[in-house]
Tab-separated table of all heavy atoms in Angstrom:
chain	number	residue	atom	x	y	z
D	33	ASN	N	-34.520	85.795	74.467
D	33	ASN	CA	-35.573	85.308	73.590
D	33	ASN	C	-35.914	86.399	72.589
D	33	ASN	O	-36.187	87.527	72.981
D	33	ASN	CB	-36.834	84.976	74.391
D	33	ASN	CG	-36.850	83.547	74.816
D	33	ASN	OD1	-36.311	83.209	75.864
D	33	ASN	ND2	-37.446	82.706	74.013
D	34	CYS	N	-35.915	86.043	71.336
D	34	CYS	CA	-36.276	87.029	70.324
D	34	CYS	C	-37.745	87.410	70.524
D	34	CYS	O	-38.607	86.534	70.600
D	34	CYS	CB	-36.073	86.445	68.937
D	34	CYS	SG	-36.728	87.493	67.639
D	35	PRO	N	-38.042	88.696	70.669
D	35	PRO	CA	-39.426	89.097	70.921
D	35	PRO	C	-40.356	88.821	69.730
D	35	PRO	O	-41.561	88.801	69.892
D	35	PRO	CB	-39.328	90.596	71.201
D	35	PRO	CG	-38.041	91.029	70.610
D	35	PRO	CD	-37.129	89.838	70.628
D	36	ARG	N	-39.789	88.605	68.573
D	36	ARG	CA	-40.649	88.381	67.412
D	36	ARG	C	-40.910	86.912	67.136
D	36	ARG	O	-42.027	86.506	66.973
D	36	ARG	CB	-40.077	89.054	66.169
D	36	ARG	CG	-41.071	89.016	65.024
D	36	ARG	CD	-40.702	89.924	63.903
D	36	ARG	NE	-40.663	91.313	64.322
D	36	ARG	CZ	-39.969	92.247	63.703
D	36	ARG	NH1	-39.257	91.934	62.653
D	36	ARG	NH2	-40.000	93.478	64.127
D	37	CYS	N	-39.871	86.098	67.099
D	37	CYS	CA	-40.085	84.698	66.740
D	37	CYS	C	-39.921	83.777	67.937
D	37	CYS	O	-40.224	82.597	67.845
D	37	CYS	CB	-39.143	84.281	65.613
D	37	CYS	SG	-37.422	84.224	66.118
D	38	GLY	N	-39.442	84.312	69.077
D	38	GLY	CA	-39.352	83.510	70.283
D	38	GLY	C	-38.125	82.631	70.365
D	38	GLY	O	-37.915	81.939	71.350
D	39	ARG	N	-37.304	82.624	69.309
D	39	ARG	CA	-36.098	81.824	69.311
D	39	ARG	C	-35.085	82.370	70.316
D	39	ARG	O	-35.043	83.574	70.558
D	39	ARG	CB	-35.471	81.854	67.924
D	39	ARG	CG	-35.319	80.478	67.311
D	39	ARG	CD	-34.575	80.583	66.017
D	39	ARG	NE	-35.187	81.617	65.168
D	39	ARG	CZ	-35.473	81.443	63.900
D	39	ARG	NH1	-35.221	80.299	63.311
D	39	ARG	NH2	-36.006	82.409	63.180
D	41	TYR	N	-31.399	83.392	71.207
D	41	TYR	CA	-30.227	83.798	70.425
D	41	TYR	C	-29.207	84.492	71.319
D	41	TYR	O	-29.551	84.972	72.398
D	41	TYR	CB	-30.662	84.708	69.279
D	41	TYR	CG	-31.126	86.076	69.733
D	41	TYR	CD1	-30.314	87.192	69.569
D	41	TYR	CD2	-32.367	86.252	70.333
D	41	TYR	CE1	-30.738	88.448	69.974
D	41	TYR	CE2	-32.792	87.500	70.747
D	41	TYR	CZ	-31.977	88.595	70.567
D	41	TYR	OH	-32.377	89.829	70.982
D	48	LEU	N	-33.289	91.867	68.458
D	48	LEU	CA	-33.936	90.782	67.731
D	48	LEU	C	-32.887	89.732	67.377
D	48	LEU	O	-31.699	90.035	67.348
D	48	LEU	CB	-34.546	91.307	66.426
D	48	LEU	CG	-35.698	92.287	66.520
D	48	LEU	CD1	-35.990	92.878	65.155
D	48	LEU	CD2	-36.944	91.638	67.079
D	49	CYS	N	-33.332	88.503	67.097
D	49	CYS	CA	-32.387	87.482	66.682
D	49	CYS	C	-31.861	87.857	65.292
D	49	CYS	O	-32.494	88.633	64.577
D	49	CYS	CB	-33.045	86.108	66.682
D	49	CYS	SG	-34.145	85.807	65.298
D	50	PRO	N	-30.704	87.315	64.891
D	50	PRO	CA	-30.108	87.727	63.613
D	50	PRO	C	-31.059	87.611	62.431
D	50	PRO	O	-31.087	88.484	61.576
D	50	PRO	CB	-28.921	86.772	63.451
D	50	PRO	CG	-28.584	86.352	64.827
D	50	PRO	CD	-29.871	86.355	65.593
D	51	GLU	N	-31.858	86.541	62.403
D	51	GLU	CA	-32.769	86.373	61.273
D	51	GLU	C	-33.856	87.445	61.239
D	51	GLU	O	-34.156	88.014	60.199
D	51	GLU	CB	-33.413	84.988	61.312
D	51	GLU	CG	-32.594	83.962	60.564
D	51	GLU	CD	-33.027	82.562	60.909
D	51	GLU	OE1	-34.184	82.219	60.601
D	51	GLU	OE2	-32.210	81.840	61.510
D	52	CYS	N	-34.433	87.711	62.405
D	52	CYS	CA	-35.480	88.727	62.465
D	52	CYS	C	-34.885	90.105	62.212
D	52	CYS	O	-35.511	90.949	61.579
D	52	CYS	CB	-36.200	88.695	63.805
D	52	CYS	SG	-37.242	87.250	63.993
D	53	ALA	N	-33.673	90.333	62.696
D	53	ALA	CA	-33.023	91.622	62.490
D	53	ALA	C	-32.801	91.846	60.999
D	53	ALA	O	-33.008	92.942	60.483
D	53	ALA	CB	-31.707	91.672	63.245
M	249	ZN	ZN1	-36.357	86.218	65.786
Side-chain angles (χ1 to χ4, degrees):
N33 268 87
C34 171
R36 189 167 298 157
C37 68
R39 238 186 309 227
Y41 70 104
L48 294 170
C49 76
E51 271 165 64
C52 289

